[in-house]
């Protein structure tokens, strides 16, 4: 809970709250339950609202809370100091849609912190009871693509970058032996000692990719970043007028940045303007890679889920192609994980 900021989406909320999940290498904890990808209440709300922002997803017939993770809540962390990676999801997406990649990175020795941006994410469920200024479950203010509203897009990115830096501050408290949780709950054993914040990276999808790159530009604590199809400029204020570049694209970076794209992204031409500006800076710090036969949400857990929904008759072939492409998940999931892991293993290696 950040008492220095009011919530940007609801003027009645006097503080800015952020929800995170921390995944990390842990001791065996088979006596503890396996965490679901989404809690039951969040899954119901996601099923109702997600189709508004992600046309093509089914209106009914899916139990979004049925998917289990490989994580056991509150398991003691394994000994050792580990690099820390922060994940920011796409605009409107909950942090839970980045679970598979986060678990893969954690299984390879990283501490991964996935971030929800309340008011932006389609649904955020807070622990504990409702407060005087919000309910336990908070839904998104977005009713359309924020990219169509320049002021909304600006607010979204500024808020997300501030959220990310706030999380970094709270992780520093945890590493120092303090408890940053607003409810003062005791963190899992040895978790604070596992955080090596000298080796911190960010990655994100879409608006989260914009966030990761811009957070690295503004905060020296971020040593490397991956942008998965995130615009690095503001929307055009008028037809025929280019949008303003974010500082990261205007001035470049002196630390590693990887730009991951797809050949099926509808906004590819618009994206090219800021990505070309980014790679034109000298120094060779920014690199690009592309996934073939894929589309925008292939960088999320929808890469594996949507083909299954198509086989069940709940998603059309056209909807699948628009969401994640025609590539098989056996290839796309492995490729995205491999590119993330390869990049961070090179620049923030696990010792």
């Amino acid at each position: 809970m950040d008492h220095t900021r009011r919530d940007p989406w609801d003027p009645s909320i006097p503080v800015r709250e952020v929800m995170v999940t921390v995944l990390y290498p842990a001791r065996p904890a088979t006596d503890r339950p396996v965490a679901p990808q989404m809690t039951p209440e969040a899954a119901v709300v996601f099923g109702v609202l997600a189709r508004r922002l992600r046309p093509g997803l089914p209106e009914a017939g899916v139990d979004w809370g049925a998917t289990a993770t490989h994580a056991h809540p509150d398991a003691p962390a394994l000994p050792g100091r580990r690099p820390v990676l922060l994940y920011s999801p796409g605009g409107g997406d909950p942090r839970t849609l980045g679970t598979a990649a986060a678990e893969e990175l954690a299984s390879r020795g990283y501490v991964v912190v996935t971030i929800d941006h309340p008011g932006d994410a389609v649904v955020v469920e807070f622990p504990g009871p409702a407060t005087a200024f919000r309910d336990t479950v908070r839904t998104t203010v977005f009713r359309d693509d924020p990219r169509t509203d320049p002021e909304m897009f600006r607010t979204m990115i500024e808020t997300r970058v501030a959220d990310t830096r706030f999380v970094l501050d709270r992780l520093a408290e945890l590493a120092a032996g303090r408890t940053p949780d607003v409810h003062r709950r005791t963190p899992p054993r040895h978790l604070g000692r596992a955080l090596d914040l000298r080796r911190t990276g960010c990655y994100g999808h879409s608006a989260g990719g914009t966030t990761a790159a811009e957070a690295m530009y503004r905060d020296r604590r971020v040593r490397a970043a991956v942008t998965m199809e995130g615009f690095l400029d503001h929307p055009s204020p008028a037809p025929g007028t280019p949008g303003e570049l974010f500082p990261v694209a205007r001035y470049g970076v002196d630390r590693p940045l990887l730009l991951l794209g797809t050949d099926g992204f509808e906004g590819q031409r618009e994206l090219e303007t800021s990505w070309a500006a980014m790679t034109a800076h000298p120094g060779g710090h920014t690199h690009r890679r592309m996934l073939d036969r894929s589309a925008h949400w292939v960088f999320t857990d929808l890469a594996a889920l949507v083909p299954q929904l198509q086989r069940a008759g709940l998603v059309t072939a056209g909807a699948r192609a628009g969401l994640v492409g025609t590539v098989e998940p056996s290839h796309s999931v492995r490729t995205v994980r491999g590119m993330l892991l390869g990049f961070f293993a090179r620049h923030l290696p696990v010792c």
Side-chain angles (χ1 to χ4, degrees):
M1 187 177 290
D2 185 353
H3 293 274
T4 69
R5 292 185 290 154
R6 296 188 70 87
D7 188 89
W9 306 116
D10 186 341
S12 70
I13 300 179
V15 296
R16 178 62 179 165
E17 295 180 291
V18 178
M19 277 291 297
V20 304
T21 294
V22 184
L23 298 104
Y24 51 90
R27 294 184 182 278
T30 53
D31 58 322
R32 302 171 187 266
V34 174
Q37 182 183 25
M38 297 185 191
T39 62
E41 189 166 0
V44 170
V45 176
F46 180 85
V48 172
L49 297 182
R51 197 173 188 275
R52 297 181 188 175
L53 299 177
R54 307 290 173 256
L57 290 179
E59 293 183 357
V62 182
D63 180 0
W64 292 100
T67 302
T69 70
H70 300 87
H72 298 268
D74 298 320
L78 282 174
R81 302 271 288 169
R82 304 183 182 280
V84 178
L85 305 178
L86 277 63
Y87 169 70
S88 180
D93 285 344
R95 70 191 190 279
T96 47
L97 279 188
T99 296
E103 285 195 328
E104 176 70 15
L105 290 164
S107 75
R108 302 296 184 136
Y110 293 89
V111 175
V112 184
V113 183
T114 63
I115 305 172
D116 260 342
H117 305 281
D120 173 334
V122 65
V123 57
V124 178
E125 183 175 359
F126 295 93
T131 69
F133 47 79
R134 60 136 177 89
D135 294 328
T136 304
V137 172
R138 187 174 174 190
T139 58
T140 184
V141 301
F142 299 158
R143 295 297 178 265
D144 203 347
D145 181 357
R147 189 82 182 163
T148 63
D149 184 330
E151 189 55 39
M152 178 175 279
F153 187 82
R154 184 180 297 272
T155 299
M156 175 176 67
I157 301 303
E158 290 298 321
T159 300
R160 284 163 161 262
V161 171
D163 287 348
T164 302
R165 301 182 73 181
F166 173 72
V167 170
L168 277 172
D169 293 341
R170 300 290 77 76
L171 291 173
E173 290 185 12
L174 181 59
R178 297 189 290 274
T179 302
D181 182 83
V182 67
H183 297 292
R184 313 310 299 171
R185 293 170 299 183
T186 303
R189 287 179 58 200
H190 310 309
L191 179 57
R193 294 184 216 164
L195 304 175
D196 184 355
L197 296 174
R198 298 167 303 174
R199 294 181 287 162
T200 295
C202 284
Y203 69 105
H205 170 241
S206 197
T210 311
T211 302
E214 189 64 13
M216 182 171 73
Y217 176 82
R218 300 189 197 184
D219 199 316
R220 300 294 304 182
R221 291 176 293 183
V222 180
R223 306 304 304 163
V226 178
T227 293
M228 296 181 285
E229 221 149 54
F231 292 100
L232 300 180
D233 60 359
H234 293 277
S236 171
T241 304
E244 176 190 3
L245 293 174
F246 279 100
V248 65
R250 194 182 314 146
Y251 302 114
V253 289
D254 60 358
R255 282 152 287 155
L257 174 65
L258 177 62
L259 307 177
L260 296 181
T262 66
D263 61 353
F265 180 37
E266 291 182 353
Q268 190 174 54
R269 180 174 295 182
E270 184 185 1
L271 185 75
E272 181 62 28
T273 301
S274 62
W275 280 28
M278 189 75 241
T279 55
H281 292 290
H285 300 291
T286 302
H287 298 276
R288 296 178 59 164
R289 296 187 66 182
M290 179 178 284
L291 278 72
D292 295 330
R293 297 181 296 115
S294 57
H296 193 55
W297 283 277
V298 78
F299 297 113
T300 73
D301 291 347
L302 294 181
L305 294 173
V306 167
Q308 295 180 60
L309 296 177
Q310 183 193 9
R311 287 195 294 271
L314 295 171
V315 166
T316 66
R320 170 188 171 164
L323 286 164
V324 300
T326 59
V327 62
E328 286 300 317
S330 58
H331 175 73
S332 63
V333 172
R334 182 175 65 250
T335 300
V336 171
R337 291 181 183 183
M339 288 192 293
L340 287 172
L341 181 61
F343 175 81
F344 287 121
R346 180 177 301 111
H347 300 292
L348 298 172
V350 176
C351 295

